[in-house]
Amino acid sequence: MKRTAFFISDGTGLTAEALGNSLLAQFEKIEFERITAPYIDDADKASNMVARINKSAEQDGSRPLVFDTIVDSKIRDIIATAEGFMVDIFGTFLNPLEQELQSSSSYSVGKSHSINNAGRYEQRIHAVNFALDNDDGARTRHYNEADLILIGASRSGKTPSCLYLALQYGVKAANYPITEEDLDDQKLPDLLKPHKDKIFGLTIEPERLATIRNERRPNSRYSSLKQCMHEIEEIEAMYRRERIPYLNTTAYSVEEIATRIMVTTGLKRNR
């Protein structure tokens, strides 16, 4: 079974996408074609959007799902004329909140993603730059400034996790790859020891690691299952010996990895 889902907004569309996809994820047996339409902020764009929705309904033989976060009631009324199943995200939640709080919403376009706190925005940008400058053990002299240092085997998810932590949470995260040389004595590398309280380990199933590495260096010792099994076994032994908290990333998305790291370490979002 296949259905079309539209995420429509007069802003970036990120909120409509996030909430809509969270709901659609509960329907695993249905395949969805997802279409995001940001900045639908005037009557002409809204009318064109209605035409797209109606065309999709005709082609699919079923009503498209329409998730919208449009705050302008006139534009929302136009969208509502389409042959779709409408999920008015803001209207669903804002109206009851207005009644409970006895206050009217500002109904500001793009409010949820606006830069309403310049300090927080600068913090996140600084954190992203820190993650890029301290990626893959390239620099270690700035580790005293880090909120977190991720360690693990090469290609275990350290870099994307650091960047996501920086962008979403404003966390200054560095990462350091554990190599065969580091595992000779099964101890934490000397340069990491002064920062042990900031360290969090990542691990991954050897089969998955071999698949990822084969995409980068096919048919090499680096990507062989034997090598991956050896590295993961030794790294996990080091984590246990050094009492370093760690997470197996195999079954998790980067969003889930970052969230679990935040929960496990007790790090706070930099607001």
Side-chain angles (χ1 to χ4, degrees), residues 146-184:
D147 299 313
L148 177 76
I149 302 169
L150 290 185
I151 65 173
S154 171
R155 314 307 287 181
S156 59
K158 300 184 302 299
T159 296
S161 297
C162 284
L163 288 172
Y164 190 89
L165 285 162
L167 191 59
Q168 288 296 111
Y169 298 107
V171 168
K172 290 193 290 184
N175 77 77
Y176 183 92
I178 301 298
T179 64
E180 268 194 291
E181 291 73 22
D182 294 319
L183 295 170
D184 285 343

